[in-house]
């Protein structure tokens, strides 16, 4: 009996990928989806999480190399601030806690929307995932573990999931001319500051909608190509400073600049894989959350990401 409990707790639910797939499965079952749809959604959620982790491992490897050559080349020790990297490390170490914190955030969001006038359901999946990650990391660094860690991060995230769309709604309503959709982002304070500045200095100015990039630079509109343009010099400059002899230990006989170039591309590839996994994961998880939330709070406004508001803009 004890071995069965250990298997369920440690080997089954202790695996973050299995746990988050189980959460998606539970949501689909509660929506009374067919057996085939439940199986499909559960497997895609599991697959998406594993793809996300594969991308994270690539990113962490590329950033570890960058940190090493930067430290050696410039004689400075510092930290590389990258949201994808910290999310990856957190999910490797605290994957189950992050998954449970995500569930608590969603539950608290629904409870607040149900019993208060703030009828907002936050459904920007990647933002919820990052909030759960940050909540788990900060709580863990503060010395919390287990249930206190999950509840602290979950309650804080749930409150923020209602507060952020509520704060942004007056601006969203004015821009879109609609009160049917809300903005689900945790960067809302920055958006409000931007809106206030635009109100003061933007009157009569040329709209960015009218700006046209020259044909030779239109490739920068692609997220990953523009990222590569930034990352390649970020790797090549420290590589020049570190020199071929130091980089030889990593390059395996390859030219040190070419190796650094490939590491920059590896980073971009890792980000692409990461977000591909996140999209696959959330494409199954968010509809499950949405179906549950809309049954409990039928008059709620859904807080979506920026793409959800674009069709409504002037």
């Amino acid at each position: 009996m004890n071995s069965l409990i250990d298997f369920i707790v440690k080997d089954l639910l202790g695996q973050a990928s299995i746990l988050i797939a189980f959460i998606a499965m539970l949501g689909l079952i509660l929506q009374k989806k067919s057996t085939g749809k439940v199986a499909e959604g559960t497997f895609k959620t599991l697959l998406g999480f594993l793809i996300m982790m594969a991308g994270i491992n690539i990113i962490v490897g590329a950033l570890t190399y960058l940190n090493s050559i930067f430290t050696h080349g410039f004689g400075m020790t510092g930290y590389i601030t990258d949201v994808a990297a910290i999310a990856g490390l957190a999910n490797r170490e605290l994957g189950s806690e992050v998954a449970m914190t995500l569930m608590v955030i969603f539950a608290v969001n629904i409870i607040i929307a149900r019993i208060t006038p703030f009828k907002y359901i936050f459904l920007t999946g990647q933002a919820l995932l990052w909030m759960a990650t940050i909540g788990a990391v900060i709580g863990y660094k503060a010395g919390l573990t287990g249930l206190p860690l999950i509840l602290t991060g979950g309650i804080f995230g749930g409150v923020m999931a209602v507060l952020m769309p509520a704060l942004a709604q007056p601006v969203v309503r004015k821009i879109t001319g609609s009160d049917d959709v809300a903005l689900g982002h945790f960067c809302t304070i920055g958006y409000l500051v931007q809106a206030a500045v635009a109100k003061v200095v933007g009157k009569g100015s040329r709209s960015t909608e009218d700006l046209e990039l020259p044909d030779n630079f239109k490739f920068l509109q692609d997220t990953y190509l523009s990222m590569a343009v930034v990352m390649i010099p970020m790797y090549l400059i420290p590589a020049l400073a570190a020199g071929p002899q130091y980089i030889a230990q990593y390059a395996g006989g390859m030219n040190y600049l070419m190796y650094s170039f490939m590491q920059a591309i590896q980073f971009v590839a890792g980000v692409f894989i990461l977000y591909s996994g996140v999209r696959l994961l959330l494409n199954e998880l968010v509809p499950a959350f949405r179906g549950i939330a809309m049954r409990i709070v039928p008059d709620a406004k859904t807080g979506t990401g920026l793409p959800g508001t674009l069709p409504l803009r002037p």
Side-chain angles (χ1 to χ4, degrees), residues 3 40 52-53 55 85 91 127 140 142 211 215 225 229 242-243 277 314:
S3 60
E40 178 186 351
M52 180 185 76
M53 293 306 299
N91 278 283
Y140 182 76
L211 296 179
D215 289 341
L225 290 179
V229 169

Side-chain angles (χ1 to χ4, degrees), residues 61-82:
L63 288 178
T64 300
Y65 169 73
L66 177 60
N67 184 62
S68 177
I69 62 173
F70 190 93
T71 300
H72 181 81
F74 296 111
M76 294 185 292
T77 302
Y79 299 94
I80 296 172
T81 55
D82 181 80

Side-chain angles (χ1 to χ4, degrees), residues 169-189:
Q169 195 60 16
V171 176
V172 172
R173 190 185 302 119
K174 184 174 182 179
I175 293 173
T176 65
S178 171
D179 200 34
D180 297 330
V181 67
L183 178 63
H185 258 257
F186 292 116
C187 302
T188 298
I189 300 299

